[in-house]
Amino acid sequence: MPTDRHSADDADHNQSTSGEQSSHNTTATVILEVDSDSSETSAASSSRPSHSQRPANSQSRNVEESAKAEAPEDSEVFEGSQGSEDSQRSADTADTSESEEGKDQQKLKKLPTWSLAILAIGALYMLLVAIGVIGDGFKEMGSDTAKGLFDFATNPFIALLVGILATSIIQSSSTTTAIVVTMVAAGAVPMEVAIPMVMGANIGTSVTNTLASLGHAGKDNEFKRAITAATVHDYFNLFAVIILLPIELIFHPIQHSAQWLSNALYGNVLPNPEEADFLGIITDPVVEAIGPKGLLGNLPGSNVVVGAVTILLGVVMIFLAVRWLGKILQLIVVGRAKKLLEKSIGGNPMVAMGAGAAVTVAAQSSSVTTSVMIPFAGSGALTPRQIYPMTLGANVGTTVTTIIAAMAVTGGGGEAALTIAFVHLLFNVFGIAIIYGIPFLRPIPLRCAELLAKVAAQRKYIAIAWVLGVFIILPTAMIFAKVVFF
């Protein structure tokens, strides 16, 4: 450095003058101090660049520190280039996961759109047939035996836990609610028990996007944003049940509203199956060929055994139909749906809510709608606050499957089936009106999700404990205790 050479030259001069090593060290130190403290008293021009360069470097550091201080938090805004890079990484991850999908999904992707449309219609037909099969199974068992199957769930809290556990295991609230509709229509489950089951299904369906957020656990900030966006759905559904279930048990506002709506529409806007059973005309031949009057009627054993096997087969058919219908519709609409969600989210919350409902109706899966947004939250491209209303729209959209299932019910139980389907719809509408509609309640699910995310980002096992505890362990333990000890 220029300053060091200048100091060294002066030191050599002093050394030659004094001839003592100690004088050299002292003089060099004095000259260095004078040279760094005051550029005006320094006669050496070589020291000036070094002296003037220090403030410039310090100023650069100050600018950088100011920029860092002024930078907003990751969870509040879109993070420019970093968000783009993370979004690209998320897209790459999604591409990788797509390449690892099963062979069935890969085969479906190769089919033209018209073939997928035919398969979707076939899956929907299978769903309608399955509902008829379950209904015949309950009839074969007899009403007393059918009701006895759910004696343990007469407690509304246990019925709620049954809905949570069943939906968490099969990963589909549509399947759970469709089965509940058929049980209500067959008289196996009273309305007072079916309503908590439907509420539990609403909670259980949110486990899918919470599991999706665990894929971002490798990076703390990314995971924090992802799990916040996922668990805001959990907390909203939990708070909706906490508020509405006690009110429903005391005053029955949801049941009364659903019955009024069903009475107003049944046989007028919606066809009355007893007078014009359009769906029965196309499904009854297959239902009868499969059920106790046909193939399964040849099984050995009592009517109870034949009915139980018929119900089990119907449940499996519903599960497969909903699963394949979801897969097929995803291939048809998810690309367009993702673009719709990207355009609508971040603007008016009501628009985001409508987009969430529309995409869920199209894909026949609220899990698809909510899970597809998790990578955007993880990357910072969208905030949990922006995704929040979209998940509420998904809650409403998923009730369409229940209404379709109710319309497929034939006989005298059709109106009761339609009533429980409207219970599912109105529960979500009332929940949105209360929690999201009242300003001081609106941020509570989001704040709870942020608190959980803050802890889970530092201790990943908390996230695992949340999923297993809320959706699996607690419901299982409570149901087991009720069956064994009470």
Side-chain angles (χ1 to χ4, degrees), residues 273-335:
E274 296 179 3
E275 298 176 359
D277 187 9
F278 300 111
L279 293 176
I281 293 174
I282 62 174
T283 60
D284 281 350
V286 179
V287 171
E288 292 180 359
I290 295 175
K293 296 179 181 179
L295 181 64
L296 295 179
N298 298 320
L299 292 175
S302 64
N303 292 345
V304 173
V305 173
V306 174
V309 173
T310 304
I311 292 170
L312 180 61
L313 177 61
V315 170
V316 172
M317 290 175 65
I318 286 181
F319 175 77
L320 293 175
V322 171
R323 182 181 178 186
W324 280 101
L325 183 62
K327 283 185 176 183
I328 295 165
L329 291 177
Q330 285 175 40
L331 293 176
I332 297 174
V333 305
V334 159

Side-chain angles (χ1 to χ4, degrees), residues 95-395:
D95 292 340
T96 302
S97 63
E98 287 178 3
S99 65
E100 297 174 353
E101 288 177 353
K103 294 180 179 179
D104 293 335
Q105 192 79 352
Q106 294 293 336
K107 290 178 180 178
L108 287 174
K109 286 183 178 181
K110 297 178 182 179
L111 296 176
T113 303
W114 63 268
S115 298
L116 293 175
I118 293 175
L119 289 175
I121 294 172
L124 180 59
Y125 180 77
M126 182 178 177
L127 172 63
L128 301 178
V129 168
I131 292 169
V133 169
I134 291 178
D136 282 359
F138 279 118
K139 292 177 183 176
E140 185 70 14
M141 292 181 69
S143 59
D144 292 339
T145 304
K147 290 178 181 178
L149 293 175
F150 298 94
D151 283 345
F152 73 95
T154 52
N155 184 315
F157 183 66
I158 298 300
L160 174 73
L161 296 176
V162 169
I164 294 174
L165 182 62
T167 307
S168 300
I169 292 173
I170 63 180
Q171 295 283 291
S172 173
S173 63
S174 299
T175 302
T176 305
T177 52
I179 293 171
V180 171
V181 163
T182 59
M183 291 191 300
V184 170
V189 174
M191 192 70 66
E192 292 75 16
V193 174
I195 291 174
M197 282 186 180
V198 168
M199 293 182 178
N202 235 53
I203 295 174
T205 193
S206 61
V207 70
T208 305
N209 52 307
T210 305
L211 291 172
S213 69
L214 298 179
H216 299 265
K219 297 181 179 179
D220 288 348
N221 286 335
E222 186 175 319
F223 180 58
K224 184 178 178 181
R225 293 189 292 264
I227 198 171
T228 300
T231 55
V232 71
H233 194 197
D234 301 355
Y235 278 109
F236 180 89
N237 290 336
L238 285 168
F239 283 123
V241 170
I242 290 171
I243 293 171
L244 289 173
L245 182 57
I247 296 174
E248 178 62 24
L249 294 177
I250 298 171
F251 301 107
H252 310 291
I254 299 177
Q255 181 178 347
H256 292 329
S257 300
Q259 286 174 337
W260 177 85
L261 195 57
S262 177
N263 291 335
L265 298 178
Y266 196 71
N268 296 312
V269 177
L270 298 176
N272 185 338
E274 296 179 3
E275 298 176 359
D277 187 9
F278 300 111
L279 293 176
I281 293 174
I282 62 174
T283 60
D284 281 350
V286 179
V287 171
E288 292 180 359
I290 295 175
K293 296 179 181 179
L295 181 64
L296 295 179
N298 298 320
L299 292 175
S302 64
N303 292 345
V304 173
V305 173
V306 174
V309 173
T310 304
I311 292 170
L312 180 61
L313 177 61
V315 170
V316 172
M317 290 175 65
I318 286 181
F319 175 77
L320 293 175
V322 171
R323 182 181 178 186
W324 280 101
L325 183 62
K327 283 185 176 183
I328 295 165
L329 291 177
Q330 285 175 40
L331 293 176
I332 297 174
V333 305
V334 159
R336 302 180 185 91
K338 189 178 292 186
K339 292 179 182 178
L340 173 62
L341 291 172
E342 289 177 28
K343 291 179 181 179
S344 59
I345 293 178
N348 189 311
M350 298 305 295
V351 174
M353 220 175 281
V359 170
T360 302
V361 171
Q364 285 293 291
S365 174
S366 61
S367 299
V368 170
T369 308
T370 53
S371 298
V372 78
M373 289 291 100
I374 299 304
F376 291 93
S379 69
L382 293 172
T383 67
R385 188 178 299 276
Q386 292 171 324
I387 293 174
Y388 179 16
M390 182 274 298
T391 63
L392 308 187
N395 276 355

